[in-house]
Amino acid sequence: SPGASVILAAAGLALGGRRDLALAALGVGSCALFAMHFRASRLALLERRSKDATSEWGRFADKPGARTRALLSGLVRTAPLVLRAKFAREENGKASELRRAAGERLAVAEELIRLGPTYVKIGQIVSCRDNLLPVEYLVALARLQDRVPAFDGARAAALAAEAMGCGSVDEVFLDFDTTPLAAASLGQVHRATLSPRALAAAEAAKAGDKAGASSGAVGAAAAATASGAEEGEGAGLPVAIKVQREGLRTIYDKDLGLLSKMASMLDKFKVGVSGAEQRWLELFEECSVVLYREIDYRDEAENAQRFKRDFEELDWVTTPKVYGALSTERLLVMEFLPGVKVTDVEELDRRGFDRRAIASRLAKAYLYQFAKFGFFNADPHPGNLAVDDGVPGGRLIMYDFGQACELDETQRIGVLETIQSIVDLDPAACVQAFEKLGVLRPGYDAAQLEAMVGLNFASGRVRSKASRSKEEDQQGNAAEEKKLSAELAAEADTRRLEAQTARAEQAEASGSMSEAGEGGPSMSAASEASKQAMGDFVMPAQLAFVARALAQMEGVGRALDPDFEFIAAAAPAIPEMQGATTYVSDYLTKMGRKLSKFLAKMGPPTSPGKKEPPAQAESS
């Protein structure tokens, strides 16, 4: 090589007594060799990445400094284009064009894929939050939902066989398609065909194995498959097989160890979220449990089976059946149940699906998960949701239960009552619901919180379409109420009752969201009150997952229906969730509370000792 030639020349000069030239030649040669080594390493890296974009995951886990340098390098490349787009004018479309170019040229999704599965998860969450980033960047991140680069199909078949403890997938399956159907950060899905006889044998063997081991089930399936092949068994059962990527547990061990230290530092410096106290280490530990369970496909199998049992009586939502007898820690075998991706709007429209109905069913499914079953899929990004023609308008299919969480009974009631209080615009009920959710610190100021919630309702800062619909119904009855008030007023002192009624109407208008506007509380006042009250709030780990699921689900809902709102879509199902007795009891309680407020606004009754004489006595 040129570098080696220069070094040899330097050696010759040194032997000839020209030490100065020899040192210069040695320096030039060394630089040339270093440059060539760097170029060769770079080419090798690019070649590995071209074959497998995830090839650096192990190296970054072993060497966090290398990943830090990669992050800084990405930021340096990103900053100029992002800043240009930020300060460009929106009127002529220049800013949108620059953002689109930044998203494409900077290959944000590819950078996150290169950094590892933890960063892919972050990108998936952000891609569903249309309030965090402009749409051009979200489009660039959308590929993380279901288009993470796949690894070699033949290697996937070998990993599947290894996970089952057999020599080849052909021992268990009639065929195995090495072309993946989809790839994600933790694994990829392949289509295969399973002998019904093999499945029956595996399930029987698993049922008889008290230890729950899968080796006996796999052996029974292999024997049944071989027997069926000899007897010329007919068509098999189409299945989808999820195969886990290699080395994920090692990567998680190292990544999460670093993140644990970061969470401890945030707790040490009492870093909150919008003024609310956040227990970062507690949240991190809960996240760690969920993430580790996500790479044990036996847990995912149990979660999917539980969801299917919960929703078995409802025909508008489903999930693929899991064949637990053949599933292992790193392999999941399930029913092949294809559908149209929930955000593929053009295909949904082409096939005549009702996008608004699908969005409504998604909201209702999550209301059921949160408030009825207390068990929910915490990762509803678009890659995990699809639609088929199982019911008119479209049946919702939910995939991937690797991330699932539970709520206790009090939290379930709290979720339901929070939604109901927002619909009813009832500050006192909202604060009571917060307490049941466990988001209030001991010794909180109830009066301050009620005032804060009331300001948010009255200013419109917290507003639901369901609340507006309810207000319109209430306004429709205003004429009848006014007539009744007039009849009652004729029986009492006209001037006194008119004054009291005027005060009551004025007070009612100041607390009504429909009347908020000129003269009502401003959003800035509500925002300031919220900041002052944030010290009374904490965020339990389970509710952080609820917030994440809601954020992702809201993004999907708006992609289906631009007018989608979770509370408005879920509100009609609340009576069904509560049951007739509870709903009527709550309704009567709310009516009693409103009547008490109205009577309080009318003023105290006249004291018996100071009772005014009747009008007839005055005239006589």
Side-chain angles (χ1 to χ4, degrees):
S1 68
S5 300
V6 173
I7 291 175
L8 289 174
L13 290 170
L15 291 173
R18 301 295 304 273
R19 294 187 60 188
D20 51 346
L21 292 177
L23 289 173
L26 182 62
V28 171
S30 299
C31 290
L33 283 175
F34 177 79
M36 291 179 64
H37 175 73
F38 178 80
R39 184 171 181 274
S41 300
R42 181 67 178 170
L43 290 174
L45 172 63
L46 293 175
E47 184 178 0
R48 288 198 307 272
R49 288 174 58 185
S50 67
K51 294 179 180 178
D52 181 4
T54 67
S55 60
E56 298 299 292
W57 287 9
R59 185 172 75 90
F60 284 155
D62 289 332
K63 300 178 180 179
R67 180 158 48 198
T68 302
R69 289 192 295 272
L71 277 169
L72 293 174
S73 174
L75 289 173
V76 169
R77 291 195 306 274
T78 302
L81 281 173
V82 170
L83 290 174
R84 281 185 62 196
K86 182 174 180 62
F87 293 108
R89 294 185 177 181
E90 294 284 356
E91 292 80 4
N92 57 8
K94 185 67 175 177
S96 177
E97 181 181 339
L98 286 171
R99 286 195 295 265
R100 188 179 299 108
E104 293 173 357
R105 287 173 54 190
L106 298 174
V108 178
E110 285 72 13
E111 287 293 330
L112 292 176
I113 290 170
R114 185 165 71 95
L115 292 172
T118 309
Y119 296 85
V120 172
K121 289 292 178 187
I122 294 171
Q124 287 174 345
I125 296 169
V126 172
S127 71
C128 298
R129 297 289 300 272
D130 58 3
N131 61 326
L132 290 181
L133 292 174
V135 65
E136 294 84 1
Y137 296 141
L138 299 181
V139 170
L141 290 171
R143 65 161 297 183
L144 294 173
Q145 295 163 5
D146 61 355
R147 297 196 300 277
V148 176
F151 54 93
D152 181 66
R155 181 57 185 158
L159 289 172
E162 180 184 322
M164 290 188 295
C166 58
S168 168
V169 290
D170 296 334
E171 295 179 18
V172 178
F173 301 101
L174 298 177
D175 65 67
F176 183 97
D177 189 349
T178 55
T179 302
L181 294 171
S185 56
L186 304 184
Q188 62 190 41
V189 180
H190 290 260
R191 184 172 180 175
T193 305
L194 178 64
S195 162
R197 180 184 298 187
L199 176 60
E203 290 177 341
K206 186 72 177 283
D209 189 346
K210 302 300 183 183
S214 62
S215 56
V218 171
T225 301
S227 175
E230 292 175 1
E231 297 176 12
E233 185 179 15
L237 183 70
V239 295
I241 300 176
K242 187 174 179 181
V243 184
Q244 190 175 116
R245 293 180 185 272
E246 294 180 85
L248 288 182
R249 186 169 292 277
T250 301
I251 293 172
Y252 269 19
D253 287 344
K254 294 175 180 176
D255 272 2
L256 296 179
L258 177 62
L259 292 175
S260 175
K261 295 177 182 177
M262 294 174 62
S264 298
M265 288 182 63
L266 291 173
D267 276 344
K268 181 179 179 180
F269 291 102
K270 301 187 182 301
V271 177
V273 178
S274 300
E277 179 185 346
Q278 176 65 68
R279 302 186 186 112
W280 290 104
L281 192 57
E282 178 186 326
L283 175 60
F284 169 78
E285 289 171 352
E286 185 74 19
C287 289
S288 296
V289 170
V290 172
L291 289 172
Y292 275 115
R293 290 193 66 184
E294 191 176 13
I295 59 174
D296 188 337
Y297 287 169
R298 294 168 299 188
D299 285 328
E300 181 175 347
E302 291 178 5
N303 293 338
Q305 289 166 341
R306 178 174 175 179
F307 179 89
K308 200 166 186 69
R309 288 194 302 270
D310 287 345
F311 285 88
E312 62 184 352
E313 296 182 1
L314 302 171
D315 61 358
W316 44 267
V317 62
T318 190
T319 192
K321 180 180 179 180
V322 171
Y323 302 118
L326 292 173
S327 298
T328 70
E329 181 180 356
R330 293 178 286 117
L331 187 79
L332 186 66
V333 183
M334 53 195 158
E335 172 190 9
F336 180 66
L337 188 62
V340 179
K341 185 179 178 181
V342 74
T343 51
D344 188 350
V345 174
E346 292 184 3
E347 183 63 15
L348 291 174
D349 290 343
R350 188 187 71 79
R351 295 184 55 175
F353 292 126
D354 186 339
R355 288 192 280 122
R356 185 165 300 210
I358 295 165
S360 178
R361 286 165 184 166
L362 178 63
K364 191 174 179 181
Y366 266 89
L367 179 66
Y368 271 69
Q369 291 177 76
F370 290 146
K372 184 175 183 179
F373 304 123
F375 174 77
F376 64 96
N377 184 331
D379 195 22
H381 65 75
N384 289 341
L385 298 167
V387 182
D388 71 3
D389 55 5
V391 296
R395 178 176 65 172
L396 186 66
I397 305 173
M398 300 189 73
Y399 305 115
D400 194 346
F401 285 82
Q403 292 188 35
C405 297
E406 291 184 283
L407 299 175
D408 62 36
E409 184 176 0
T410 303
Q411 290 172 323
R412 289 193 291 109
I413 295 171
V415 169
L416 200 60
E417 292 185 357
T418 299
I419 296 171
Q420 185 67 66
S421 69
I422 293 173
V423 173
D424 293 339
L425 307 175
D426 189 335
C430 192
V431 173
Q432 291 173 8
F434 286 163
E435 186 170 10
K436 289 179 180 177
L437 283 172
V439 298
L440 298 178
R441 301 181 67 175
Y444 68 89
D445 188 333
Q448 181 189 27
L449 286 181
E450 283 190 30
M452 179 270 290
V453 174
L455 275 174
N456 277 278
F457 286 163
S459 68
R461 187 168 180 261
V462 174
R463 180 184 294 265
S464 169
K465 295 173 185 176
S467 301
R468 291 197 292 271
S469 297
K470 194 161 188 172
E471 285 179 332
E472 290 168 2
D473 292 339
Q474 292 170 349
Q475 291 168 1
N477 296 325
E480 295 181 10
E481 293 175 359
K482 187 175 181 180
K483 181 180 177 181
L484 180 60
S485 296
E487 292 174 356
L488 293 172
E491 299 175 5
D493 183 1
T494 304
R495 286 175 295 179
R496 181 173 62 85
L497 188 56
E498 283 178 352
Q500 291 174 339
T501 303
R503 289 197 303 271
E505 290 176 347
Q506 184 178 4
E508 188 70 26
S510 67
S512 171
M513 229 168 69
S514 62
E515 300 290 331
E518 293 185 12
S522 66
M523 288 194 181
S524 60
S527 177
E528 184 61 31
S530 298
K531 290 179 182 178
Q532 292 176 3
M534 279 297 106
D536 286 331
F537 284 86
V538 294
M539 179 61 78
Q542 300 98 319
L543 296 185
F545 285 105
V546 170
R548 174 195 170 181
L550 278 173
Q552 292 190 337
M553 185 264 296
E554 283 271 4
V556 173
R558 281 193 290 270
L560 289 165
D561 174 13
D563 295 326
F564 175 81
E565 179 196 275
F566 171 67
I567 290 179
I574 290 178
E576 177 187 349
M577 296 286 299
Q578 291 178 322
T581 303
T582 302
Y583 184 74
V584 171
S585 175
D586 289 350
Y587 179 79
L588 293 175
T589 300
K590 285 183 284 189
M591 291 301 101
R593 190 157 52 231
K594 289 183 179 180
L595 179 60
S596 297
K597 288 182 180 179
F598 179 77
L599 293 176
K601 290 171 184 175
M602 291 292 291
T606 305
S607 173
K610 297 182 180 180
K611 186 173 182 179
E612 297 178 5
Q616 292 90 337
E618 289 181 354
S619 61
S620 63

